[in-house]
Amino acid sequence: MSGNFSFSFSGEDIEDDGDLNPTAPNVSTYVPQSSASAFPVQGKPLLEATRHDLQQMLSQLPSKIAYGILDVDLDGAGTVQLPRRELWDVRVQLMAEDDGGDAEPGLGNHDVKTGVYEGGFKSWESSVDLVKVLALSKAFLGDTNLATRVIELGCGTGLPSLALFQWGLSLRGSDNNCGLSIALADYNPTVLQLVTLPNFILCWALHQRAESQVVADAFSSEGELDLTPEVVKGFQEFLSDRKISLSFFSGAWSAEFVDLVSCDEVSGTEGGLKRRTVILGAETIYSPFALVAFTKTIFSLLGKEKAQGNAAEALVGAKKLYFGVGGSLDDFVIKARELGADVQELREEAEGVRRGVVRCVLP
């Protein structure tokens, strides 16, 4: 069964050409081949749910990473600048580490490779829509009465979580004892290692550049950051000091995945302190199978949070229709309401490729 397809964004990715125009990327019609479901592949086992140790991930970083800046216009209310590791730099690292095996599947011309790669190396339009929605309520990151947990499913480059992390660096002082926990999940562990984690280090380093000479010196060349042992140590110490935790999960959405994420320790909830949980997902419902699996996953997570007495919501950004593939935001809304959720549309993009962001809460 042939399972490679492309949504045909112009270039490799959302362009880094100043203020982001959300209608700029062109999306062509995908013509399905032998299957109406983009995922999984018959006879091919799905990746098992796995939690990755941050220390080990940090030890596997290259000595230097190159990056670009994506400027997101917050609908006239300022901008947020999100650093992203350059894909050409990922390719250079992989070529240097080449052991003669297969090339990394996510760095070809396809956006998704069925059952193998779920699009995580690229930044998608709906992730930017989520950033704009989150900007309207970012003040909760400075809350001193509730711990905050963010869970981003299908995170890829992690733009929504990255924006929250960046805002949290400014809004959270060292005296804030309520933890901020960010759980980042992508089907492919290589995406987490090669782009997700580096993007968070870049975000922290750019924030600390004016405060730390060690970090400032690490920006030895324009658009590059040296990942010296001192920089990596500073990153870890800063997270600990600000009670911010990052956790990484890979593998298919499943009951095992939900249990793994739910059992992850959340800092700043000692002594029975309650927390707020925000579940994020962008472009995760592009096929009927993905829609069903994603919906089951977020409602399992919402249910577990509700059972523990925690406030929880899910923010989902997606296209109104994924042409030829079968998924749609409207179908997700129908399923969410069938499961008893209160669903509110927070944003709609009517020009270009129609997209939206909805909020789901269990009553």
Side-chain angles (χ1 to χ4, degrees):
M1 178 174 70
S2 177
N4 299 350
F5 61 90
S6 175
F7 294 119
S8 299
F9 282 89
S10 57
E12 290 185 329
D13 204 348
I14 289 178
E15 299 295 333
D16 303 341
D17 54 356
D19 292 344
L20 185 70
N21 177 357
T23 63
N26 296 318
V27 180
S28 65
T29 301
Y30 159 62
V31 180
Q33 299 182 29
S34 58
S35 173
S37 175
F39 183 74
V41 173
Q42 183 177 359
K44 184 178 181 62
L46 299 178
L47 294 181
E48 293 183 0
T50 304
R51 188 186 193 281
H52 300 275
D53 180 67
L54 178 59
Q55 282 290 126
Q56 184 176 5
M57 293 177 70
L58 290 170
S59 71
Q60 295 173 353
L61 289 169
S63 61
K64 178 183 294 188
I65 52 178
Y67 68 94
I69 299 292
L70 180 66
D71 288 322
V72 179
D73 179 4
L74 302 175
D75 295 330
T79 63
V80 60
Q81 295 187 317
L82 302 177
R84 299 180 301 167
R85 187 181 185 189
E86 298 280 14
L87 288 187
W88 64 259
D89 188 50
V90 175
R91 292 189 178 98
V92 169
Q93 178 184 343
L94 292 175
M95 285 190 292
E97 298 173 351
D98 183 22
D99 59 0
D102 294 336
E104 181 59 42
L107 297 174
N109 294 324
H110 46 267
D111 290 328
V112 175
K113 189 171 183 179
T114 306
V116 177
Y117 164 68
E118 287 297 295
F121 283 117
K122 299 184 180 182
S123 297
W124 300 88
E125 293 170 305
S126 292
S127 64
V128 175
D129 296 336
L130 277 177
V131 171
K132 295 182 178 185
V133 167
L134 290 166
L136 300 175
S137 59
K138 62 183 179 182
F140 74 85
L141 292 164
D143 198 326
T144 57
N145 297 313
L146 278 176
T148 298
R149 188 179 197 206
V150 177
I151 303 172
E152 186 173 354
L153 303 176
C155 64
T157 58
L159 297 187
S161 295
L162 200 63
L164 290 174
F165 178 67
Q166 184 176 129
W167 293 323
L169 295 180
S170 300
L171 294 170
R172 295 174 56 83
S174 57
D175 58 344
N176 190 332
N177 292 317
C178 294
L180 170 60
S181 170
I182 302 177
L184 298 141
D186 194 277
Y187 183 71
N188 299 97
T190 50
V191 169
L192 299 172
Q193 179 67 51
L194 294 171
V195 295
T196 315
L197 175 58
N199 287 352
F200 275 82
I201 296 174
L202 284 166
C203 189
W204 162 80
L206 288 167
H207 180 270
Q208 289 296 105
R209 189 174 189 171
E211 306 295 329
S212 167
Q213 190 60 49
V214 168
V215 175
D217 291 343
F219 288 96
S220 56
S221 302
E222 184 68 25
E224 293 184 342
L225 174 67
D226 294 325
L227 296 178
T228 64
E230 293 78 16
V231 167
V232 174
K233 181 181 179 182
F235 176 67
Q236 294 174 278
E237 291 178 345
F238 184 92
L239 294 181
S240 177
D241 180 59
R242 295 297 178 93
K243 294 182 172 56
I244 300 173
S245 65
L246 300 178
S247 51
F248 297 85
F249 303 87
S250 66
W253 297 323
S254 61
E256 292 76 17
F257 174 88
V258 170
D259 290 341
L260 199 61
V261 173
S262 298
C263 291
D264 189 42
E265 292 185 5
V266 178
S267 62
T269 56
E270 297 83 0
L273 182 67
K274 294 299 182 182
R275 68 172 180 260
R276 169 197 295 107
T277 297
V278 181
I279 303 170
L280 305 171
E283 309 278 10
T284 50
I285 55 174
Y286 63 83
S287 76
F289 181 89
L291 190 153
V292 171
F294 175 75
T295 305
K296 286 182 178 179
T297 299
I298 64 168
F299 276 85
S300 295
L301 291 169
L302 286 172
K304 286 180 177 290
E305 292 295 327
K306 181 180 179 180
Q308 296 176 28
N310 298 318
E313 64 180 3
L315 302 180
V316 179
K319 293 178 176 62
K320 292 290 186 175
L321 178 64
Y322 291 85
F323 294 103
V325 189
S328 77
L329 183 59
D330 291 341
D331 285 344
F332 171 77
V333 170
I334 291 172
K335 289 184 178 296
R337 286 176 173 156
E338 288 176 350
L339 292 170
D342 292 332
V343 183
Q344 176 187 8
E345 185 172 60
L346 301 180
R347 182 181 182 87
E348 182 175 11
E349 291 287 347
E351 297 182 3
V353 180
R354 296 182 63 230
R355 308 184 305 278
V357 176
V358 297
R359 176 179 182 266
C360 300
V361 178
L362 291 179

Coordinates of all heavy atoms in Angstrom, one line a residue, residues 240-317:
S240 N 14.8 24.0 36.8 CA 14.6 23.6 38.2 C 14.3 24.8 39.1 O 13.4 24.8 39.9 CB 15.9 22.9 38.7 OG 15.8 22.6 40.1
D241 N 15.0 25.9 38.9 CA 14.8 27.1 39.7 C 13.4 27.7 39.5 O 12.8 28.2 40.5 CB 15.9 28.2 39.3 CG 15.7 29.5 40.2 OD1 15.8 29.4 41.4 OD2 15.5 30.5 39.6
R242 N 12.9 27.7 38.3 CA 11.6 28.2 38.0 C 10.5 27.2 38.1 O 9.3 27.5 37.8 CB 11.6 28.8 36.6 CG 12.5 30.0 36.4 CD 12.1 31.2 37.3 NE 13.1 32.3 37.1 CZ 12.9 33.3 36.2 NH1 11.8 33.3 35.5 NH2 13.8 34.3 36.2
K243 N 10.8 26.0 38.6 CA 9.8 24.9 38.8 C 9.1 24.6 37.4 O 7.9 24.5 37.4 CB 8.8 25.2 39.9 CG 9.5 25.3 41.3 CD 8.5 25.6 42.4 CE 9.2 25.4 43.7 NZ 10.4 26.3 43.9
I244 N 9.9 24.6 36.4 CA 9.3 24.2 35.1 C 9.9 22.8 34.7 O 11.1 22.6 34.8 CB 9.8 25.2 34.0 CG1 9.3 26.6 34.3 CG2 9.3 24.8 32.6 CD1 9.8 27.7 33.4
S245 N 9.0 21.9 34.3 CA 9.4 20.6 33.9 C 9.0 20.3 32.4 O 7.9 20.7 32.0 CB 8.9 19.5 34.8 OG 7.4 19.5 34.7
L246 N 9.9 19.7 31.7 CA 9.6 19.3 30.3 C 9.7 17.7 30.3 O 10.6 17.1 30.8 CB 10.7 19.8 29.4 CG 10.8 21.3 29.3 CD1 11.9 21.7 28.3 CD2 9.5 22.0 28.9
S247 N 8.7 17.1 29.7 CA 8.7 15.7 29.5 C 8.3 15.4 28.1 O 7.5 16.1 27.4 CB 7.7 15.0 30.5 OG 6.4 15.6 30.5
F248 N 8.8 14.3 27.6 CA 8.7 13.9 26.2 C 8.2 12.5 26.0 O 8.7 11.6 26.7 CB 10.1 14.1 25.5 CG 10.6 15.5 25.5 CD1 11.3 15.9 26.6 CD2 10.4 16.3 24.5 CE1 11.8 17.2 26.7 CE2 10.9 17.6 24.5 CZ 11.6 18.1 25.6
F249 N 7.2 12.4 25.1 CA 6.6 11.1 24.9 C 6.5 10.8 23.4 O 6.2 11.7 22.6 CB 5.2 11.0 25.5 CG 5.1 11.3 27.0 CD1 5.0 12.6 27.4 CD2 5.2 10.3 27.9 CE1 5.0 12.9 28.8 CE2 5.2 10.6 29.2 CZ 5.1 11.9 29.7
S250 N 6.7 9.6 23.0 CA 6.5 9.2 21.6 C 5.6 8.0 21.5 O 5.3 7.3 22.5 CB 7.9 8.9 20.9 OG 8.5 7.8 21.5
G251 N 5.2 7.7 20.3 CA 4.4 6.5 20.0 C 3.0 6.8 19.7 O 2.6 7.9 19.7
A252 N 2.2 5.7 19.4 CA 0.9 5.9 18.9 C -0.1 6.2 20.1 O 0.2 5.8 21.2 CB 0.4 4.6 18.2
W253 N -1.1 7.0 19.8 CA -2.2 7.2 20.8 C -2.9 5.9 21.1 O -3.3 5.2 20.2 CB -3.2 8.2 20.2 CG -2.5 9.6 20.0 CD1 -1.6 10.2 20.7 CD2 -2.8 10.5 18.9 NE1 -1.2 11.4 20.1 CE2 -2.0 11.6 19.0 CE3 -3.7 10.4 17.8 CZ2 -2.0 12.7 18.1 CZ3 -3.8 11.5 16.9 CH2 -2.9 12.6 17.1
S254 N -3.0 5.6 22.4 CA -3.5 4.4 22.9 C -3.8 4.5 24.4 O -3.5 5.5 25.0 CB -2.5 3.2 22.6 OG -1.3 3.5 23.4
A255 N -4.4 3.5 24.9 CA -4.7 3.5 26.3 C -3.4 3.5 27.1 O -3.3 4.2 28.2 CB -5.5 2.2 26.7
E256 N -2.4 2.8 26.6 CA -1.0 2.8 27.2 C -0.4 4.2 27.2 O 0.2 4.6 28.2 CB -0.1 1.8 26.5 CG -0.5 0.3 26.7 CD -1.7 -0.1 25.8 OE1 -2.0 0.7 24.9 OE2 -2.3 -1.1 26.1
F257 N -0.6 4.9 26.1 CA -0.1 6.3 26.0 C -0.8 7.2 27.0 O -0.1 7.9 27.7 CB -0.4 6.8 24.5 CG 0.0 8.2 24.3 CD1 1.3 8.6 24.0 CD2 -0.9 9.2 24.5 CE1 1.6 9.9 23.8 CE2 -0.6 10.6 24.3 CZ 0.7 10.9 24.0
V258 N -2.1 7.1 27.1 CA -2.8 7.9 28.1 C -2.3 7.6 29.5 O -2.1 8.6 30.3 CB -4.3 7.6 28.0 CG1 -5.1 8.3 29.1 CG2 -4.8 8.1 26.6
D259 N -2.1 6.3 29.9 CA -1.7 6.0 31.2 C -0.3 6.6 31.5 O 0.0 7.1 32.5 CB -1.6 4.5 31.4 CG -3.0 3.9 31.5 OD1 -4.0 4.6 31.7 OD2 -3.2 2.7 31.2
L260 N 0.6 6.5 30.4 CA 2.0 7.0 30.6 C 2.0 8.5 30.8 O 2.7 9.0 31.7 CB 2.8 6.6 29.3 CG 4.3 6.6 29.4 CD1 4.8 5.6 30.4 CD2 4.9 6.3 28.0
V261 N 1.2 9.2 30.0 CA 1.2 10.7 30.2 C 0.5 11.1 31.5 O 1.0 12.0 32.2 CB 0.4 11.3 29.0 CG1 0.2 12.8 29.2 CG2 1.2 11.1 27.7
S262 N -0.5 10.4 31.9 CA -1.3 10.7 33.1 C -0.4 10.4 34.4 O -0.6 11.1 35.4 CB -2.6 9.9 33.2 OG -3.4 10.2 32.1
C263 N 0.5 9.5 34.3 CA 1.3 9.1 35.5 C 2.5 10.0 35.6 O 3.2 9.9 36.6 CB 1.7 7.6 35.4 SG 0.3 6.5 35.6
D264 N 2.7 10.8 34.6 CA 3.9 11.7 34.6 C 3.8 12.6 35.8 O 2.8 13.3 36.0 CB 4.0 12.5 33.3 CG 5.3 13.2 33.2 OD1 6.4 12.7 33.5 OD2 5.3 14.4 32.7
E265 N 4.9 12.8 36.6 CA 4.8 13.6 37.7 C 4.8 15.1 37.3 O 5.4 15.5 36.4 CB 6.1 13.4 38.6 CG 6.1 12.1 39.3 CD 7.3 11.9 40.2 OE1 8.0 12.9 40.4 OE2 7.5 10.8 40.7
V266 N 3.9 15.9 38.0 CA 3.8 17.3 37.7 C 4.4 18.1 38.9 O 3.9 17.9 40.0 CB 2.3 17.7 37.5 CG1 2.1 19.1 37.3 CG2 1.7 16.8 36.4
S267 N 5.4 18.9 38.6 CA 6.0 19.7 39.7 C 5.1 20.7 40.2 O 4.2 21.2 39.5 CB 7.3 20.3 39.2 OG 7.0 21.2 38.1
G268 N 5.3 21.2 41.4 CA 4.5 22.2 42.0 C 3.1 21.8 42.5 O 2.2 22.7 42.7
T269 N 2.8 20.5 42.6 CA 1.5 20.1 43.1 C 1.7 19.4 44.4 O 0.8 18.6 44.8 CB 0.9 19.1 42.0 OG1 1.7 18.0 41.7 CG2 0.6 19.9 40.7
E270 N 2.8 19.6 45.0 CA 3.0 18.9 46.3 C 2.0 19.5 47.3 O 1.5 20.6 47.2 CB 4.4 19.2 46.9 CG 5.5 18.6 46.0 CD 5.8 19.5 44.8 OE1 5.2 20.6 44.7 OE2 6.7 19.1 44.0
G271 N 1.6 18.7 48.3 CA 0.7 19.1 49.3 C -0.7 19.2 48.9 O -1.6 19.9 49.5
G272 N -1.0 18.5 47.8 CA -2.4 18.4 47.3 C -2.8 19.7 46.5 O -4.0 19.8 46.2
L273 N -1.9 20.5 46.1 CA -2.2 21.7 45.3 C -2.9 21.3 44.0 O -2.3 20.4 43.3 CB -1.0 22.5 45.0 CG -1.2 23.8 44.3 CD1 -2.0 24.8 45.1 CD2 0.2 24.4 43.9
K274 N -4.0 21.9 43.6 CA -4.7 21.5 42.4 C -3.9 22.1 41.2 O -3.1 23.0 41.3 CB -6.1 22.0 42.4 CG -7.0 21.3 43.5 CD -7.0 19.8 43.2 CE -7.9 19.0 44.2 NZ -7.9 17.6 44.0
R275 N -4.3 21.7 40.0 CA -3.7 22.2 38.8 C -4.7 22.4 37.7 O -5.8 21.9 37.7 CB -2.6 21.3 38.3 CG -3.1 19.9 37.8 CD -2.0 19.1 37.1 NE -2.4 17.9 36.6 CZ -2.3 16.7 37.2 NH1 -1.7 16.7 38.4 NH2 -2.7 15.6 36.6
R276 N -4.3 23.2 36.8 CA -5.0 23.5 35.5 C -4.3 22.7 34.4 O -3.1 22.8 34.3 CB -5.0 25.0 35.2 CG -5.5 25.4 33.9 CD -5.2 26.8 33.5 NE -5.8 27.7 34.4 CZ -5.2 28.4 35.4 NH1 -3.9 28.2 35.6 NH2 -5.8 29.3 36.1
T277 N -5.0 22.0 33.6 CA -4.4 21.3 32.5 C -5.0 21.8 31.2 O -6.2 21.9 31.0 CB -4.7 19.8 32.6 OG1 -4.0 19.3 33.8 CG2 -4.1 19.0 31.4
V278 N -4.1 22.1 30.3 CA -4.5 22.5 28.9 C -3.9 21.5 27.9 O -2.7 21.3 27.9 CB -3.9 23.9 28.6 CG1 -4.4 24.4 27.2 CG2 -4.4 24.9 29.7
I279 N -4.8 20.9 27.2 CA -4.4 19.9 26.2 C -4.5 20.6 24.8 O -5.5 21.2 24.5 CB -5.3 18.7 26.2 CG1 -5.3 18.0 27.6 CG2 -4.8 17.6 25.2 CD1 -6.3 16.9 27.8
L280 N -3.4 20.5 24.0 CA -3.3 21.1 22.7 C -3.1 20.1 21.6 O -2.5 19.1 21.8 CB -2.1 22.1 22.7 CG -2.1 23.1 23.8 CD1 -0.7 23.9 23.8 CD2 -3.2 24.1 23.7
G281 N -3.7 20.4 20.5 CA -3.5 19.6 19.3 C -3.8 20.4 18.0 O -4.8 21.1 17.9
A282 N -2.8 20.4 17.1 CA -3.0 21.1 15.9 C -2.7 20.1 14.7 O -1.7 19.4 14.7 CB -2.0 22.3 15.8
E283 N -3.6 20.1 13.7 CA -3.5 19.3 12.5 C -3.4 17.8 12.9 O -2.6 17.1 12.2 CB -2.3 19.8 11.7 CG -2.3 21.3 11.4 CD -3.2 21.7 10.2 OE1 -4.0 20.9 9.7 OE2 -3.0 22.9 9.8
T284 N -4.1 17.4 13.9 CA -4.0 16.0 14.3 C -5.2 15.1 13.9 O -5.2 14.0 14.2 CB -3.9 16.0 15.9 OG1 -5.0 16.8 16.4 CG2 -2.6 16.5 16.4
I285 N -6.1 15.7 13.1 CA -7.3 14.9 12.7 C -7.5 14.9 11.2 O -8.6 15.0 10.7 CB -8.6 15.6 13.4 CG1 -8.7 17.0 13.1 CG2 -8.5 15.4 14.9 CD1 -10.0 17.7 13.6
Y286 N -6.3 14.7 10.5 CA -6.4 14.8 9.1 C -6.9 13.6 8.4 O -7.1 13.6 7.1 CB -4.9 15.1 8.5 CG -4.0 13.9 8.8 CD1 -3.9 12.8 8.0 CD2 -3.1 14.0 9.9 CE1 -3.0 11.8 8.3 CE2 -2.3 13.0 10.2 CZ -2.2 11.8 9.4 OH -1.3 10.8 9.7
S287 N -7.2 12.5 9.1 CA -7.9 11.3 8.5 C -8.9 10.8 9.5 O -8.9 11.1 10.7 CB -6.8 10.3 8.2 OG -6.4 9.6 9.4
P288 N -9.9 10.0 9.0 CA -10.9 9.4 9.9 C -10.2 8.6 11.1 O -10.7 8.7 12.2 CB -11.7 8.5 9.0 CG -11.6 9.2 7.7 CD -10.2 9.7 7.6
F289 N -9.2 7.8 10.8 CA -8.5 7.0 11.8 C -7.9 7.9 12.9 O -8.0 7.8 14.1 CB -7.5 6.1 11.2 CG -6.8 5.2 12.3 CD1 -7.4 4.0 12.7 CD2 -5.7 5.7 12.9 CE1 -6.8 3.2 13.6 CE2 -5.1 4.9 13.9 CZ -5.6 3.7 14.3
A290 N -7.2 9.0 12.4 CA -6.5 9.9 13.3 C -7.5 10.6 14.1 O -7.3 10.9 15.3 CB -5.6 10.9 12.5
L291 N -8.6 11.0 13.5 CA -9.7 11.7 14.2 C -10.2 10.9 15.4 O -10.3 11.4 16.5 CB -10.8 12.1 13.3 CG -11.9 13.1 13.8 CD1 -12.5 13.9 12.6 CD2 -13.0 12.4 14.6
V292 N -10.5 9.6 15.2 CA -11.0 8.8 16.2 C -10.0 8.6 17.3 O -10.3 8.7 18.5 CB -11.5 7.4 15.6 CG1 -11.8 6.4 16.7 CG2 -12.7 7.6 14.7
A293 N -8.7 8.3 16.9 CA -7.7 8.0 17.9 C -7.4 9.2 18.8 O -7.2 9.2 20.0 CB -6.4 7.5 17.2
F294 N -7.3 10.4 18.1 CA -7.1 11.6 18.8 C -8.2 12.0 19.8 O -8.0 12.4 20.9 CB -6.9 12.8 17.8 CG -6.7 14.1 18.4 CD1 -5.5 14.5 19.0 CD2 -7.7 15.1 18.4 CE1 -5.3 15.7 19.6 CE2 -7.6 16.3 18.9 CZ -6.4 16.6 19.5
T295 N -9.4 11.8 19.3 CA -10.6 12.2 20.1 C -10.6 11.3 21.4 O -10.9 11.8 22.5 CB -11.9 12.0 19.4 OG1 -11.8 12.8 18.2 CG2 -13.1 12.4 20.2
K296 N -10.4 10.0 21.2 CA -10.4 9.1 22.4 C -9.3 9.5 23.3 O -9.5 9.4 24.6 CB -10.1 7.6 21.9 CG -11.3 7.0 21.2 CD -11.0 5.5 20.8 CE -12.2 4.8 20.2 NZ -11.8 3.4 19.8
T297 N -8.1 9.9 22.8 CA -7.0 10.2 23.7 C -7.3 11.5 24.5 O -7.1 11.5 25.7 CB -5.7 10.4 22.8 OG1 -5.4 9.2 22.1 CG2 -4.6 10.8 23.7
I298 N -7.8 12.5 23.9 CA -8.0 13.8 24.6 C -9.1 13.6 25.6 O -9.0 14.2 26.7 CB -8.2 15.0 23.7 CG1 -9.5 14.9 22.9 CG2 -7.0 15.3 22.9 CD1 -9.9 16.2 22.2
F299 N -10.1 12.8 25.3 CA -11.2 12.7 26.2 C -10.8 11.7 27.4 O -11.3 11.9 28.5 CB -12.5 12.2 25.5 CG -13.3 13.4 24.9 CD1 -13.0 13.8 23.7 CD2 -14.3 14.0 25.7 CE1 -13.7 14.9 23.1 CE2 -15.0 15.1 25.2 CZ -14.7 15.5 23.9
S300 N -10.0 10.8 27.1 CA -9.4 10.0 28.2 C -8.6 10.9 29.2 O -8.7 10.8 30.4 CB -8.6 8.9 27.7 OG -9.3 7.9 26.9
L301 N -7.8 11.8 28.6 CA -7.0 12.7 29.4 C -7.9 13.6 30.2 O -7.7 13.9 31.4 CB -6.0 13.4 28.6 CG -4.9 12.6 28.0 CD1 -4.1 13.4 26.9 CD2 -3.9 12.1 29.1
L302 N -8.9 14.2 29.5 CA -9.8 15.1 30.2 C -10.6 14.4 31.3 O -10.8 15.0 32.4 CB -10.8 15.7 29.2 CG -10.3 16.7 28.2 CD1 -11.4 17.0 27.1 CD2 -9.9 18.0 28.9
G303 N -11.0 13.2 31.1 CA -11.7 12.4 32.1 C -10.8 12.2 33.3 O -11.3 12.3 34.5
K304 N -9.6 11.8 33.1 CA -8.7 11.6 34.2 C -8.4 12.8 35.0 O -8.4 12.8 36.3 CB -7.3 11.0 33.7 CG -7.4 9.5 33.3 CD -6.1 9.0 32.8 CE -6.1 7.6 32.4 NZ -6.3 6.7 33.6
E305 N -8.3 14.0 34.4 CA -8.1 15.2 35.1 C -9.4 15.6 35.9 O -9.3 16.0 37.0 CB -7.8 16.4 34.1 CG -6.4 16.2 33.4 CD -5.3 16.3 34.4 OE1 -5.4 17.1 35.4 OE2 -4.3 15.7 34.2
K306 N -10.5 15.4 35.3 CA -11.8 15.7 36.0 C -11.9 14.8 37.2 O -12.4 15.3 38.3 CB -13.0 15.5 35.0 CG -14.3 15.9 35.7 CD -15.4 15.7 34.7 CE -16.8 15.9 35.3 NZ -17.9 15.7 34.4
A307 N -11.6 13.6 37.1 CA -11.7 12.6 38.2 C -10.8 13.0 39.4 O -11.1 12.7 40.5 CB -11.3 11.2 37.7
Q308 N -9.7 13.7 39.1 CA -8.8 14.2 40.1 C -9.2 15.6 40.7 O -8.5 16.1 41.5 CB -7.4 14.2 39.6 CG -6.8 12.8 39.2 CD -5.4 12.9 38.6 OE1 -4.7 13.8 38.9 NE2 -5.1 12.0 37.7
G309 N -10.2 16.1 40.1 CA -10.7 17.4 40.6 C -9.9 18.6 40.0 O -10.0 19.7 40.5
N310 N -9.2 18.4 38.9 CA -8.5 19.4 38.2 C -9.2 20.1 37.1 O -10.0 19.4 36.3 CB -7.1 18.9 37.7 CG -6.2 18.3 38.7 OD1 -6.1 18.9 39.8 ND2 -5.7 17.1 38.5
A311 N -9.1 21.3 36.9 CA -9.7 22.0 35.8 C -8.9 21.6 34.5 O -7.7 21.6 34.5 CB -9.6 23.5 36.0
A312 N -9.6 21.3 33.5 CA -9.0 20.9 32.2 C -9.8 21.3 31.0 O -11.0 21.4 31.0 CB -8.8 19.4 32.2
E313 N -9.0 21.6 30.0 CA -9.7 22.0 28.7 C -8.8 21.5 27.6 O -7.6 21.3 27.8 CB -9.9 23.5 28.6 CG -8.6 24.3 28.6 CD -8.8 25.8 28.4 OE1 -10.0 26.2 28.4 OE2 -7.8 26.5 28.4
A314 N -9.4 21.3 26.4 CA -8.6 20.9 25.2 C -8.8 22.0 24.1 O -10.0 22.4 23.9 CB -9.0 19.6 24.7
L315 N -7.8 22.5 23.5 CA -7.8 23.4 22.4 C -7.3 22.7 21.2 O -6.2 22.2 21.2 CB -7.0 24.6 22.7 CG -7.3 25.4 24.0 CD1 -6.4 26.6 24.1 CD2 -8.7 25.9 24.0
V316 N -8.2 22.6 20.2 CA -7.9 21.9 19.0 C -8.0 22.8 17.8 O -9.0 23.4 17.5 CB -8.8 20.7 18.8 CG1 -8.5 19.9 17.5 CG2 -8.8 19.8 20.0
G317 N -6.9 22.8 17.0 CA -6.8 23.6 15.8 C -6.7 22.7 14.6 O -5.9 21.7 14.6

